[in-house]
Structures are given as C-alpha cells and as structure tokens.
Amino acid sequence: MITSNFVRSTCCVSLVFLAICIADSATDENLSLQRYLSQDDTGLSTNKRIQQIMQGGGTADISWPQPPKLKAEKIDVKSEIAKLNTTYVYQSSWPGDELKLGSVSAVSFDREGNVVIFHRVDRIWDGQTFNNNNVFQQRRKGPIRDNTVLALERKTGQVVYGWGKGLFYMPHGLTIDHENNAWVTDVALHQVFKFGPRGSNDQPLLKLGMEFTPGAGDSKFCKPTSVAVLENGDFFIADGYCNARILKFDRNGKKILAWGQNSFAGTSFDVAPKNYFAIPHALTLVPEQQLVCAADRENGRVQCFFWTNGTFHSQYHNQIVGDRLFSMDYTPAEGGQLVVVNGPIGELGLKPDTYNEVRGYVINMRTKQVISKFGPNDMQFSNPHDVAVTKDGSEIYVAELNPMRIHKFLHKTLAKSMPMSEAKTPMAHHSVSGSTTVNTISRSGPAYQVDEVVVKSNGSISTLDALLAQETEQWSKAANKTHHPGGTAILVASLMLLFAALTFALALIIARRRKRGNESINVGPPSELVYRKLVASSQNVCDECP
C-alpha cells in the first residue's frame, strides 16, 4: 500500500514538473517542443489542458488526438550535409559595425531594392513575456521608443530610412508588397497592420485584431506571425503561435476563408499529416503555380496550398533540414527554389537524438531535394528567424534573433572568394584579445572567424576590396624593402667588399716579396758544407783513412 501511494505521488510530481516545463517553453520563442498538445476551436485550450495536468487530474479525462505516425527512411545527416555544396558567399563586412540592432525578426525588400528589416531594439521574448493565457505581461514598458523598421542600401548597408517609433511592443513579421506598402505583425498586440510606403508617417492604413487581446474567430488573432499579399490586394495571415491556421482576406480586410489544424497532438511526427500546423511561422508566394506556402516551424517542413481555395498542394520536408524550419522564401531561379533556414533543437532541454546543423538550405521544388547550404563563413547560425531572397536568386538575407544581426550572402557566380590563408580581415573589423585576433561582424553579435571574403560584386569594388587592396599594397612595400636593400645597406656592403679586396691585395704583395727573397738566397755563396767538400776535394783528404 505504501509502495502504491509512493508510486502514485511520484507520478503526480512528475506530471506537475512536465506541465511547468511545457508552460514555460511554450511562451519562449527560442525553445519549443516536438511533443505537442491538442487545441480546440477556442484557440486557447492548450493552456486549459496544462492546468488540468497541474491540478493533479492526470490525463485520463483528456482525449488526445493521435494521427498516424509516418515513418521516413533514416539517413546519415552529418555526412549528407558535408556533401552539400556552398553556393553563396558570406559578406562579412555588410552592413558594418556602426549599425546597432536589436533582435532582427523579419526581412523583406521594398520597390527601390532596399533591404527592409524589422527589429525589436531592446525587447527580448523570454518565458516571462506572456502568461499561460498568451497575454503580454510587459505593457508597463510602453511601446518601443526607437525606429523598429529600417531600410538598408543593398550594396553599402547604409540606412536609407527608418520608421516605427512608439508603435510596437514585440515585432515579428514584415512584408513589403508590390505597391510598397508595409505589412507587419506584433505578437504582443496580437494584431496585423498595413502601412503605406516608408510607413507613411506611422499611420496604419489597415488594422486587424484586438489590441493585447488574444483569441480566435474572424476578429481576433493569437500571436500572428506573417503576411503574404497578392497583386489583386487579397492577403494571407499566418496565425500563428496559438491558433495554427492560415486566413485569407480581401483587400479591405474582409475574411474570405481559413484553414489548418493544430498538430500539437501529444506526439511528434517524422512527417506530419497535411493541413496540420505546429506554428505556421512564415509565408511566401509561388506565383507561377498560384501557391501560398507556409513554414510549418515545429514540424520542420514547408506546406504549399492553392491560394484560390486553400487546398493542399505539396510539402517539403528533409531530414537534412531537421525538425524545426523557421522561415522560407521563394525564387523562380533554376526552375523554382525554396530558400529555408532551420533552427536549434530544444526539447525540454534534453539532448536531441538526431544530428542537427543550424544553416540555410536551398531546396529544389521540382525534386524536393536539398541542393546546397550556406551560413556565416560556411559555419552555423545561432538562431535565425527569417530569410529573404532576390527574385533572380543572386542575394540572400537572413534575420537573426541572437546574435542580433542581419546577414548578407552573394551567389558564388557574382562573388570571387579568397581562402583565409591569402586574405587579411579589414582592420575596421578586428578585435584583439591577448594574442588572438578574430573578425567581429557586429558589436552585438558573435566573433565569426573569416575564411572567405568578397573581392568583386557586380563589377564594382566594395569597401572591403579597398581595404584589402590598401593592406596588400603595404605588404608589397614591406616585401620590396626586404628583397631590395636601401642606400645605407649598399654602402656598408660596398665598404666591406672594398676592405676584403684590399686585404687580399696586400696578402698577395707580401707573398710575392717572400718568394723573391728565397730566390736571392739560393743564388748566393755556397753553404758551409758545400764549401768544406770543395776544399777537401782540392786537398785529396780522405776522411776514411786511419
């Protein structure tokens, strides 16, 4: 009996601990689960189910939907990633250290070709930002006081314009449409906004959702994430962290249709069933096929639907990308490609049983195969959040939450790379600690070590090129000094040679004089012995005689 009570108590404590972990993780954007909770039509029942568990009721009264678990053939992910080519070269000097950013949540392009980013300045989304009912807990801080939307010139990275002061609490999604209107989502406000070109004096043209009020239905959202806009003015909203649905509206904001079910179903899937979402996190359009595609974040896949009626068309999932896919963008280049970024694996803080590399990947839409990879200096990201690619596929930009950074990549056909052994990092980007020198790409970011830099881009010389050329010239001058001595060195060498020549000449003269002296002795008077022999001979004297 005692043992039974002990086991029962232990189970209850374990369930309470698990529920606390889930509740804390579900409100943290950087951590998420692969074992999901179901959700009913109210859009808020997940938290009710958590509370039921925490109250000690167990799970007997909860009916968990269990869609069939689909199996996929396992591959050696690490070796397959190693085989992928790197088709994009990292531009480490863009946009420059002088630009200070908060967590960058979204990136898009305006009609002028500028890179437009949405960042959170001083706001951080953590486990205390929302309560269990998805209500924002930091209203007392007021809206962000600085510009949250910045437009950067694509070549130089200089700020062209900025707006968004005093409007937003927790920025998330940003889309610039074909008319240059800016569409943004704020997960704290639970709202979606449409602004005119360059913010049009910070006055929204359209506002959807109820301020700070999470919900479902036609007039409420719960942490909406992204917007995609058709040329006729109709638009789609990904909603989002709680409701797991996609909605279509006409240009005036009237709802046309909605679809999607929540796949927080108490289990994880190798490939989740179609039309189920575990946080539809980003949207993009494929005009050639009239598709709207969603990044199904915690299912690690992209789902595409016909934008006319929301009917499922296709999905793109690959073990190389992994179980978390944060964002994607479409380019018609090479017959149609999806550029995606995945994210770090964090399931209740446990060590994952699958290999994962946080990178950008390019997926061929026709074959559904991952064809290349990219990352900062061919290394991994830390926590990428959004990605945008130009229509011709030549440039990719990645928004990262931590480090707080916007990354630029240039297709290798437009960029000439240099190996690290032959390239020196620009002095403006060096930071020295002790005897170690690293390349710091941002004051608020990590120290990524450079292994390739861009020399030419579209026929123009970049700032990095000028710095490299300047330092190369200095190296050449140093080399010239080493191999071509100056006047002082030549004078010293000449004097030494002259001294050596004089010494040799003097030795030669002395040697010749000694030779002459020896010849005089040889022709002079006979020696004493010769002289005695001559005398003896002349006197017929015999030394042998007795």
Side-chain angles (χ1 to χ4, degrees), residues 396-423:
I396 293 175
Y397 296 84
V398 176
E400 193 162 18
L401 296 177
N402 183 27
M404 302 169 183
R405 174 74 178 171
I406 178 70
H407 301 275
K408 178 180 180 179
F409 299 85
L410 196 64
H411 196 276
K412 65 180 182 181
T413 58
L414 300 177
K416 183 179 179 182
S417 63
M418 294 173 60
M420 187 176 181
S421 59
E422 297 179 7

Side-chain angles (χ1 to χ4, degrees), residues 47-92:
N47 296 297
K48 294 179 181 178
R49 294 178 185 275
I50 294 174
Q51 291 173 5
Q52 285 179 347
I53 296 174
M54 295 179 67
Q55 291 170 359
T59 59
D61 59 339
I62 300 177
S63 177
W64 299 106
Q66 298 289 335
K69 190 167 184 177
L70 304 177
K71 294 292 184 180
E73 182 181 354
K74 297 297 182 181
I75 63 172
D76 186 346
V77 174
K78 186 174 183 179
S79 63
E80 291 300 319
I81 292 176
K83 294 176 184 177
L84 292 174
N85 293 324
T86 301
T87 53
Y88 288 87
V89 180
Y90 185 51
Q91 309 298 288
S92 61

Side-chain angles (χ1 to χ4, degrees), residues 487-499:
T488 303
I490 293 174
L491 178 60
V492 172
S494 300
L495 290 174
M496 292 179 64
L497 289 173
L498 180 61
F499 177 77

